[in-house]
Amino acid sequence: MSVTLADVAARAGVSAATVSRVLNGNYPVAGSTRSRVLRAVDELEYVVNGPASALAAASSDLVGVLVNDIADPFFGIMASAVQSEIGPGPDGAGHKMAIVCNTGGLPERELTYLTLLQRQRAAGVVLTGGAVEDPGHAEALGARLRRLEAAGAQVVLCGRPPLPEPGPLTVTFDNRGGARRLTEHLLSLGHRRLGYLAGPAGRTTTRHRLEGHREALSAAGLAGDAERLTVQGAYDRAAGYDGALELLRRDPGLTAILAANDTVALGVCAALRDRGLRIPEDVSVTGFDDLPFAVDATPALTTVRLPLHDAAARAGRLVLGRETPPPGGVTTFPTELMARQSTAAPGR
Amino acid sequence: MSVTLADVAARAGVSAATVSRVLNGNYPVAGSTRSRVLRAVDELEYVVNGPASALAAASSDLVGVLVNDIADPFFGIMASAVQSEIGPGPDGAGHKMAIVCNTGGLPERELTYLTLLQRQRAAGVVLTGGAVEDPGHAEALGARLRRLEAAGAQVVLCGRPPLPEPGPLTVTFDNRGGARRLTEHLLSLGHRRLGYLAGPAGRTTTRHRLEGHREALSAAGLAGDAERLTVQGAYDRAAGYDGALELLRRDPGLTAILAANDTVALGVCAALRDRGLRIPEDVSVTGFDDLPFAVDATPALTTVRLPLHDAAARAGRLVLGRETPPPGGVTTFPTELMARQSTAAPGR
DNA sequence: CTGTTAGCGCTTTCAG
DNA sequence: CTGAAAGCGCTAACAG
């Protein structure tokens, strides 16, 4: 049915081994032979059988990218950056392919996909997004990752904290520091009653951001109310909407609300508007991540920029072994406060 | 090195064939044998060698998904929907994996990826997003798709117009009708001087939306100015910003601007605000697609909703052969006008 | 219901 | 620099 290496070899009048060598370019072949083979490939429209060569060579050109939700630009940007590093270059050469796996944030799904990737004999795996902090899952995950590495796959964590040594290569963000500076910004504007909408419980990202916030609060002697003015919720708009209303119920005199991320912040803004509260005159609002839409919110959202693209691109290079990791294997990217119009001195 | 089928067979005291049958569940096996095998699999932590089985069975469980830009929620939503249909179910069973390929809208990249997918012996391919209308590329693309189908892959187009019969299965949107209704909405509000920011030239989506717009204009006897009040640009925010300024230059008395999509509309809004123009009092603005952020724009964006998720989910089912296609193989999804606050009667 | 036997298409020593 | 031959790990008839 399909045309094979042998067909090409026959047509070019050489052995299959030679064709293989030409195609892989990893062995000296005479120029004339080479062009004869290439012509045959062309004429026959030959396309390598990936599974066959993966089997024979015990290696594939697939790289897994695990994300919570590919429809969320936060993950889309990272997936895109990984792809741009590993995919076909401008010259069409050097092509690994990314298998994007949507875990939906479910631990079991994460494990399932890791097994599936091992089954594909993936050359590497990039795990993006915050990790679930359940100890049982952490252990199961660690075991899967070790197996993958034992099978020869390069594992890179991107946007989550490093695992205990000797863990996989890691590229992470200073979420804690970003959150701290964000809260300090609000405090320096004069806010004293700050509501905090945390992300889902049991996730490292949630915890680190919350810790940064509390650090700043404590330093200002404002730790007392922190617990009461913190509401947990999902990383989505609805959580922001509902959460903002709940915070207002707990303290109608709130002058600022910090959201777990930009998407949540959009929900907060909507709730505030529906309540007839002005931003930032009545209540200041902040996001986190600095996704592209943050600057287009009205008013433009004060937030913390994560270098998502750069970090994921680096993860892509690391997973291919195209960049040497720092000693310890952990790279932490700084985060940057983006002060815009959704925050101002309290007016009420 | 790695544990193989034979190891499992030896451990369970059966033949490799039996193990294979248990694992694939496509052949009767005695209950006791079955559990013995499963236990051996477990004890040995055996993971099937995907490439090997793909080679032997001449079929893989990979499905390609081509997108222009995975960082754009428009494509993220579709990729996510395809994934949710083909990926591991809640039970962890029935797992195909999606290879997401970022073409960046480049025709050559599209062809490259198609070849790479054929090399992987992908079970199917979903091509999302508008097609490039260059005849040379259309032909090359058609050839690649035919080869893929000849190799046994199921091809599904999602969000682009059907190819000439007998083309691949297609799921598409009524872009033209949506654009028409959108323009009619503006006309019925009383607008007579409408600027149009079209997407990149040479793409079907751009053309269909523009055609719908012109249809409505012609029906209202307003076709005369259409040409002059149309500006082409990319599908991004910057194009919206620059395009809006250009339109205003061409006709300072414009009362409405229709953007190629929601992202472009955001750029338009920013430009208008920078110019001190109010939306919708001075200028009405519309988007297209109804991405999640459209409702959060201020004012909330009037746009046309595309059922991205439903359409892509259907594409996912079609590519797996889990849903029987309609006669002719083409499904057209209707689009819906979402009239919100960014449009109103002209006030100037 | 289970085992035996050939390959699937490619890579890779090992000779020449 | 090129060819011959031996698998890689699994599946799928074909017999029992």
Side-chain angles (χ1 to χ4, degrees):
Chain A
M1 35 166 272
S2 184
V3 24
T4 74
L5 238 210
D7 299 331
V8 176
R11 173 120 191 176
V14 299
S15 74
T18 301
V19 178
S20 168
R21 298 200 259 250
V22 169
L23 261 26
N24 293 303
N26 52 6
Y27 209 83
V29 175
S32 63
T33 319
R34 169 184 200 66
S35 51
R36 202 141 33 87
V37 168
L38 258 17
R39 182 143 37 80
V41 165
D42 228 61
E43 292 168 349
L44 265 30
E45 299 191 332
Y46 171 67
V47 176
V48 181
N49 183 318
S53 58
L55 172 57
S59 80
S60 85
D61 45 6
L62 298 173
V63 172
V65 180
L66 267 67
V67 301
N68 275 8
D69 177 9
I70 191 62
D72 182 339
F74 179 86
F75 293 100
I77 289 169
M78 291 203 281
S80 160
V82 172
Q83 265 248 2
S84 68
E85 288 296 327
I86 71 171
D91 50 340
H95 27 244
K96 290 254 193 300
M97 307 191 81
I99 303 194
V100 175
C101 308
N102 243 339
T103 64
L106 304 176
E108 326 83 66
R109 193 72 69 81
E110 192 166 72
L111 298 178
T112 305
Y113 270 124
L114 252 15
T115 302
L116 289 174
L117 288 168
Q118 184 176 348
R119 164 195 296 220
Q120 297 299 336
R121 298 300 186 259
V125 176
V126 177
L127 285 94
T128 68
V132 169
E133 294 203 291
D134 173 65
H137 178 248
E139 194 184 347
L141 182 63
R144 278 294 197 306
L145 294 182
R146 250 169 281 129
R147 272 198 242 167
L148 264 167
E149 290 184 321
Q154 177 64 254
V155 175
V156 180
L157 308 185
C158 179
R160 62 172 69 186
L163 256 32
E165 306 252 11
L169 296 179
T170 304
V171 177
T172 189
F173 302 112
D174 179 21
N175 276 303
R176 194 183 278 107
R180 183 163 30 71
R181 282 189 300 279
L182 188 56
T183 299
E184 286 167 356
H185 161 71
L186 253 8
L187 293 173
S188 76
L189 286 172
H191 293 272
R192 287 301 174 269
R193 295 165 80 171
L194 321 183
Y196 190 85
L197 283 181
R203 318 198 115 255
T204 54
T205 314
T206 299
R207 182 164 59 80
H208 291 159
R209 292 181 185 176
L210 182 53
E211 286 171 1
H213 171 63
R214 295 273 170 93
E215 275 174 31
L217 245 32
S218 296
L222 255 35
D225 268 353
E227 192 73 47
R228 189 173 61 89
L229 295 184
T230 298
V231 170
Q232 300 251 3
Y235 275 131
D236 60 28
R237 183 182 190 277
Y241 193 96
D242 300 342
L245 297 182
E246 170 63 20
L247 283 174
L248 250 17
R249 203 169 299 131
R250 295 193 190 176
D251 182 353
L254 235 38
T255 64
I257 295 182
L258 297 96
N261 69 18
D262 293 341
T263 308
V264 174
L266 248 31
V268 172
C269 293
L272 257 23
R273 267 196 301 273
D274 287 358
R275 272 295 239 271
L277 293 169
R278 292 163 306 160
I279 307 165
E281 294 81 356
D282 298 320
V283 181
S284 285
V285 176
T286 65
F288 212 105
D289 296 343
D290 196 24
L291 294 185
F293 61 76
V295 69
D296 279 309
T298 357
L301 208 54
T302 290
T303 185
V304 173
R305 162 165 299 188
L306 300 191
L308 295 174
H309 186 92
D310 293 351
R314 178 167 243 261
R317 270 174 267 127
L318 286 171
V319 84
L320 292 195
R322 281 221 320 253
E323 176 164 326
T324 50
V330 179
T331 313
T332 301
F333 275 76
T335 55
E336 184 188 356
L337 173 67
M338 307 298 286
R340 294 200 271 244
Q341 288 77 55
S342 68
T343 49
R348 299 208 281 189
Chain B
M1 37 165 273
S2 182
V3 25
T4 74
L5 237 210
D7 299 331
V8 176
R11 173 118 189 176
V14 297
S15 74
T18 300
V19 177
S20 168
R21 297 200 261 250
V22 169
L23 262 26
N24 293 303
N26 52 5
Y27 211 83
V29 175
S32 62
T33 320
R34 171 185 198 67
S35 51
R36 202 140 33 88
V37 168
L38 256 16
R39 181 144 37 80
V41 166
D42 228 61
E43 292 168 349
L44 265 30
E45 298 191 332
Y46 171 66
V47 176
V48 182
N49 183 317
S53 60
L55 172 56
S59 79
S60 85
D61 44 7
L62 298 173
V63 172
V65 180
L66 267 68
V67 301
N68 274 10
D69 177 9
I70 192 62
D72 182 338
F74 180 86
F75 293 101
I77 289 169
M78 291 203 282
S80 161
V82 172
Q83 265 248 5
S84 68
E85 287 296 327
I86 70 170
D91 50 340
H95 27 243
K96 290 257 193 299
M97 308 192 79
I99 302 194
V100 175
C101 308
N102 243 340
T103 64
L106 304 176
E108 326 82 68
R109 194 72 70 82
E110 191 164 73
L111 298 178
T112 304
Y113 271 123
L114 253 14
T115 301
L116 289 175
L117 288 168
Q118 183 176 349
R119 163 194 296 219
Q120 297 299 336
R121 299 301 188 256
V125 176
V126 177
L127 287 94
T128 69
V132 169
E133 294 203 291
D134 173 66
H137 177 248
E139 194 182 349
L141 182 63
R144 279 292 198 305
L145 294 182
R146 251 169 280 129
R147 272 198 243 166
L148 264 167
E149 291 185 318
Q154 177 64 253
V155 175
V156 180
L157 308 184
C158 180
R160 62 172 69 185
L163 256 32
E165 306 253 12
L169 296 180
T170 304
V171 177
T172 190
F173 303 112
D174 179 22
N175 276 304
R176 194 183 276 107
R180 183 163 29 71
R181 281 188 301 280
L182 188 57
T183 299
E184 285 167 356
H185 161 71
L186 253 10
L187 293 173
S188 75
L189 286 172
H191 293 272
R192 289 298 175 269
R193 295 164 80 169
L194 320 183
Y196 191 86
L197 283 181
R203 317 198 116 256
T204 53
T205 314
T206 298
R207 183 164 58 79
H208 291 160
R209 292 181 185 176
L210 182 54
E211 286 171 0
H213 171 64
R214 296 271 170 94
E215 274 173 32
L217 245 33
S218 296
L222 255 35
D225 267 354
E227 194 74 46
R228 189 174 60 90
L229 295 184
T230 298
V231 170
Q232 299 249 4
Y235 276 131
D236 60 28
R237 183 181 190 277
Y241 193 96
D242 300 342
L245 297 182
E246 170 64 20
L247 282 174
L248 250 18
R249 201 168 301 130
R250 295 194 190 174
D251 182 353
L254 234 38
T255 64
I257 295 182
L258 297 95
N261 69 18
D262 293 341
T263 307
V264 173
L266 248 31
V268 172
C269 292
L272 257 22
R273 268 195 302 272
D274 288 358
R275 270 296 237 272
L277 293 169
R278 292 163 306 160
I279 307 165
E281 294 81 356
D282 298 320
V283 181
S284 285
V285 176
T286 65
F288 213 106
D289 296 344
D290 196 24
L291 294 185
F293 62 75
V295 70
D296 281 308
T298 350
L301 208 55
T302 291
T303 186
V304 173
R305 160 164 299 186
L306 299 191
L308 294 174
H309 187 91
D310 292 351
R314 178 168 243 261
R317 273 174 266 127
L318 286 171
V319 85
L320 292 195
R322 280 222 321 252
E323 176 164 326
T324 51
V330 178
T331 313
T332 302
F333 275 75
T335 55
E336 184 187 358
L337 174 66
M338 306 298 286
R340 294 199 272 245
Q341 288 78 56
S342 69
T343 49
R348 301 206 280 191

